[in-house]
Amino acid sequence: MSYAVCRMEKMKSHDLKGMQFHNQRERESKTNSDIDKTWSHENYDLVNQGNIDYNERVKDIIESQKISPRKTWKDAVLVNELLITSDKDFFDALDPSEQKRFFEESYKLFAERYGKQNIAYATVHVDEKTPHLHLGVVPMRDGKLQGKNVFNRNELLAIQEEFPKHMQKCGFDLERGVPSDRKHLDMARYKLQTTQEKINSLENELAEKEHRRTQLNESIEKTNGLLKALKKSDENSKEIDMINYKESGLIGPKTVKLALSDFESMKTKARASEAFKIENKVVSARNKQLSQENNELKLKNKGLNRENQALKHENRDLTKQNMFLTRTLESLKYALKEHVKDFDYILGAIKSLVLDNMKVTNKAKYLSDDEERLGAKVMWTLCQGHLKKDSHETSNKYCSL
């Protein structure tokens, strides 16, 4: 019988964009080789008709219910994502309509349990080796965002019990959970994959910010060139003020005699000067705005770099954890295999002793009662000593493991 699998992962604000890219296949994954892009068009969402912005959707859910005017904490858990699936053999035995019904019944259970209004997305992936459902639950309760209370330890244990029972009632042949060692190993791999997705998302976002900063720098250079031209125009205006003039006499008005070409040039520069003064104000304001945006982008860039480094450290830790769990699982398999060998050996020894005992018993038919009791006692003592020896050796072997 197949297992019913339901895992939960916490999502904060910086996690949602990467999860959006992964769930909605907005960007090509560099880490998940299981995705078959020829089937990606068969993926669907049980809540949304098309692609959505996860951050905006979650924000709308929170704002529509919260009763406090206080802002949501930056590091608050915004979504608890449930990964719902089973093994490949289970899905291979279902036709497409039954497979879809499996995910629809899963969605109905959790929508009723946590509130339909709190389900941000319910994305079904059929383009990987095993079909599965990503169900995003915003943990709102009593007008507050409280993931620790909604998804506490008791709730997680209840999910492991109730989910397989519900699916069995719906006609699906499933049993509870998976072995703990395998579960932890799979979870480590899942976290490793999603962490890599987040790193790729941040790197893409960082590249976009770098491109935007380059554009801003080019705009600032262009603005500086225009300012130089305006300053030159201003210098031309000052040259006009420095033109000397002569008075025509005591009675006549004060006049200036200029060549016609100089006069026309002066008029052109004067008109250009007024236009440049107006444009200068506009460009100066724009330049100030661009400089401010550039500074903000530098700050965001530093923040993204720090976050990227933190995720890379987390990625290395998860890789080490994955290797440790893999080795532990292999050790357990080896120990179990050796245990079976020892058990077969002990069973063979017991069979051999029993056969020997039967031979002795047949011979004992011709012995007296005292001789028969003495022989049986010797055989029982030998059997006990042999078994204790085997048991002691086996115990020492597994203690060394």
Side-chain angles (χ1 to χ4, degrees):
M1 183 182 293
S2 299
Y3 293 112
V5 179
C6 181
R7 306 180 192 130
M8 188 274 288
E9 184 179 10
K10 299 175 183 178
M11 297 285 175
K12 297 185 178 181
S13 178
H14 60 270
D15 301 318
L16 289 180
K17 185 59 69 173
M19 189 52 61
Q20 173 186 325
F21 292 156
H22 171 75
N23 286 352
Q24 298 182 161
R25 300 294 191 252
E26 295 180 14
R27 292 180 181 173
E28 183 176 354
S29 175
K30 298 179 182 179
T31 59
N32 191 350
S33 59
D34 292 341
I35 297 176
D36 185 353
K37 292 187 291 185
T38 59
W39 284 89
S40 294
H41 67 281
E42 297 290 339
N43 296 340
Y44 56 92
D45 195 310
L46 296 171
V47 175
N48 306 293
Q49 296 298 321
N51 288 357
I52 62 170
D53 187 302
Y54 277 18
N55 279 292
E56 289 184 3
R57 172 68 172 145
V58 171
K59 183 179 178 182
D60 290 342
I61 293 174
I62 296 173
E63 293 297 327
S64 65
Q65 299 181 52
K66 75 174 188 177
I67 56 178
S68 172
R70 294 170 58 185
K71 292 185 177 180
T72 304
W73 288 4
K74 291 184 179 180
D75 61 342
V77 174
L78 302 181
V79 171
N80 294 87
E81 186 182 273
L82 300 177
L83 179 68
I84 298 166
T85 185
S86 184
D87 55 54
K88 189 174 184 298
D89 292 338
F90 171 76
F91 288 107
D92 288 344
L94 300 178
D95 58 45
S97 61
E98 278 295 283
Q99 183 185 112
K100 186 174 183 180
R101 189 173 74 86
F102 170 82
F103 293 120
E104 288 175 341
E105 292 295 340
S106 302
Y107 164 73
K108 289 178 184 178
L109 172 66
F110 293 112
E112 182 179 352
R113 193 176 186 92
Y114 304 116
K116 187 177 180 180
Q117 73 280 3
N118 293 325
I119 308 297
Y121 55 86
T123 306
V124 177
H125 287 160
V126 297
D127 58 352
E128 298 184 47
K129 288 184 178 180
T130 305
H132 54 272
L133 167 64
H134 293 273
L135 187 69
V137 181
V138 181
M140 291 294 294
R141 177 180 288 174
D142 300 329
K144 296 179 182 179
L145 186 70
Q146 41 183 330
K148 290 183 179 179
N149 293 330
V150 175
F151 288 93
N152 54 32
R153 178 175 177 79
N154 291 334
E155 177 63 17
L156 296 178
L157 291 174
I159 290 176
Q160 297 301 323
E161 292 291 339
E162 295 300 324
F163 176 59
K165 289 180 181 178
H166 175 78
M167 301 314 293
Q168 288 171 3
K169 290 178 182 178
C170 294
F172 296 101
D173 191 16
L174 291 170
E175 61 181 325
R176 181 190 185 280
V178 295
S180 58
D181 292 326
R182 176 63 180 277
K183 177 182 177 181
H184 291 166
L185 182 60
D186 289 346
M187 182 59 73
R189 288 173 178 165
Y190 177 72
K191 286 183 178 179
L192 184 63
Q193 176 185 325
T194 53
T195 300
Q196 189 61 49
E197 293 284 348
K198 294 171 192 173
I199 291 174
N200 293 337
S201 173
L202 282 173
E203 288 177 347
N204 291 331
E205 187 175 353
L206 184 61
E208 291 177 0
K209 298 294 183 184
E210 290 285 356
H211 179 65
R212 175 63 178 160
R213 190 175 70 170
T214 302
Q215 290 180 329
L216 286 173
N217 288 334
E218 292 175 354
S219 179
I220 290 172
E221 290 179 3
K222 186 177 179 181
T223 303
N224 287 332
L226 187 55
L227 282 172
K228 289 179 180 179
L230 289 172
K231 288 179 180 179
K232 187 175 181 180
S233 175
D234 189 53
E235 290 173 359
N236 290 335
S237 298
K238 291 178 180 179
E239 290 177 3
I240 295 174
D241 294 335
M242 295 173 63
I243 295 176
N244 296 324
Y245 67 91
K246 295 181 180 180
E247 296 183 2
S248 60
L250 295 174
I251 301 174
K254 295 179 179 180
T255 59
V256 178
K257 291 182 179 181
L258 292 172
L260 180 61
S261 59
D262 291 337
F263 179 66
E264 293 295 333
S265 174
M266 183 181 69
K267 289 195 297 182
T268 302
K269 289 179 179 180
R271 285 193 295 267
S273 177
E274 290 300 322
F276 277 127
K277 284 180 180 179
I278 297 172
E279 190 173 358
N280 188 16
K281 292 180 180 179
V282 175
V283 171
S284 296
R286 178 59 178 162
N287 190 27
K288 185 177 180 180
Q289 181 184 355
L290 290 173
S291 297
Q292 185 177 357
E293 290 183 11
N294 192 23
N295 291 332
E296 291 175 355
L297 282 173
K298 286 181 180 178
L299 292 175
K300 289 182 180 179
N301 194 11
K302 289 181 180 179
L304 287 171
N305 280 325
R306 286 195 297 269
E307 192 172 355
N308 196 9
Q309 289 299 323
L311 283 171
K312 285 183 178 179
H313 285 303
E314 184 181 351
N315 193 6
R316 285 196 292 270
D317 292 340
L318 286 171
T319 302
K320 292 178 182 178
Q321 183 182 359
N322 192 4
M323 293 174 63
F324 172 76
L325 288 171
T326 302
R327 289 195 297 269
T328 302
L329 188 60
E330 292 299 324
S331 298
L332 289 173
K333 289 181 179 178
Y334 176 78
L336 182 61
K337 184 177 180 181
E338 292 299 316
H339 181 71
V340 171
K341 288 182 179 179
D342 290 336
F343 182 78
D344 291 340
Y345 172 75
I346 292 171
L347 187 62
I350 291 174
K351 288 181 178 179
S352 177
L353 289 171
V354 170
L355 291 174
D356 291 342
N357 190 23
M358 290 175 62
K359 293 177 181 179
V360 170
T361 302
N362 291 332
K363 292 180 179 180
K365 292 179 180 178
Y366 306 99
L367 298 177
S368 65
D369 292 342
D370 292 337
E371 289 174 335
E372 184 177 351
R373 283 195 295 272
L374 178 61
K377 185 175 181 181
V378 170
M379 181 58 67
W380 173 247
T381 303
L382 290 174
C383 182
Q384 278 189 318
H386 187 74
L387 289 176
K388 284 182 180 178
K389 179 182 177 182
D390 288 339
S391 176
H392 181 67
E393 290 177 355
T394 303
S395 298
N396 288 338
K397 181 181 294 184
Y398 288 113
C399 286
S400 65
L401 289 177

